[in-house]
Amino acid sequence: MGCVTYVTRDGSDQPQPRMAFTRDALLIRGCGRTDFQGGSSQQLYKSVHSQIFTLPKETLLYLAHDYKGFSVTTVGEEMLYNPSLTKDEETFKNIMENLNLAYPKMIDVAVPANMVCGLQDLEPKAN
């Protein structure tokens, strides 16, 4: 629900090839988890396919993080080689619902804090 992708404009005064910064929606040969608060495998699939995979194939994709040491991919590479997002929507949904990943230790603190820009204590403190 909170994923945003920033894309450079197309134009002679812009970097070429274009660049997109995908945060946690799309990862190199993977995608973000959808089993957290507000997550939806259907929405993630539709967003990636309608917003990111419609960019020019040579568009460079920079991701929020990668656990294998990669720093950049392209739209074309992910359309060909992403093991889950190259599937049809129903198969993708089934994959995401059956990952059986461990529940992150701090997720109940991290996600609500992320949803309010990292602020954990919004109550004013008494002097």
Side-chain angles (χ1 to χ4, degrees):
M1 191 166 68
C3 288
V4 176
T5 295
Y6 295 96
V7 182
T8 57
R9 292 184 304 154
D10 193 15
S12 60
D13 63 333
Q14 296 296 307
Q16 296 299 321
R18 292 176 73 184
M19 296 182 286
F21 302 86
T22 65
R23 306 219 354 121
D24 290 333
L26 181 65
L27 306 176
I28 296 176
R29 309 303 188 262
C31 63
R33 291 176 66 164
T34 59
D35 57 333
F36 299 153
Q37 298 104 319
S40 166
S41 56
Q42 180 180 25
Q43 183 60 47
L44 178 60
Y45 185 90
K46 287 182 179 187
S47 292
V48 169
H49 280 265
S50 68
Q51 302 295 314
I52 298 171
F53 283 1
T54 57
L55 293 168
K57 287 183 173 62
E58 66 275 6
T59 301
L60 298 173
L61 299 175
Y62 294 91
L63 314 145
H65 52 82
D66 180 79
Y67 302 111
K68 296 177 184 164
F70 299 112
S71 60
V72 66
T73 184
T74 66
V75 169
E77 286 179 29
E78 293 309 309
M79 289 174 72
L80 287 173
Y81 303 119
N82 192 297
S84 53
L85 287 161
T86 54
K87 310 292 191 243
D88 63 80
E89 186 175 345
E90 192 59 36
T91 303
F92 175 77
K93 182 179 172 189
N94 189 46
I95 290 169
M96 297 306 287
E97 289 175 355
N98 292 291
L99 290 175
N100 299 318
L101 298 171
Y103 195 74
K105 293 176 185 172
M106 298 297 292
I107 196 67
D108 292 324
V109 173
V111 171
N114 286 345
M115 294 176 77
V116 290
C117 298
L119 302 174
Q120 293 185 23
D121 185 6
L122 298 178
E123 295 297 317
K125 297 191 185 257
N127 291 336

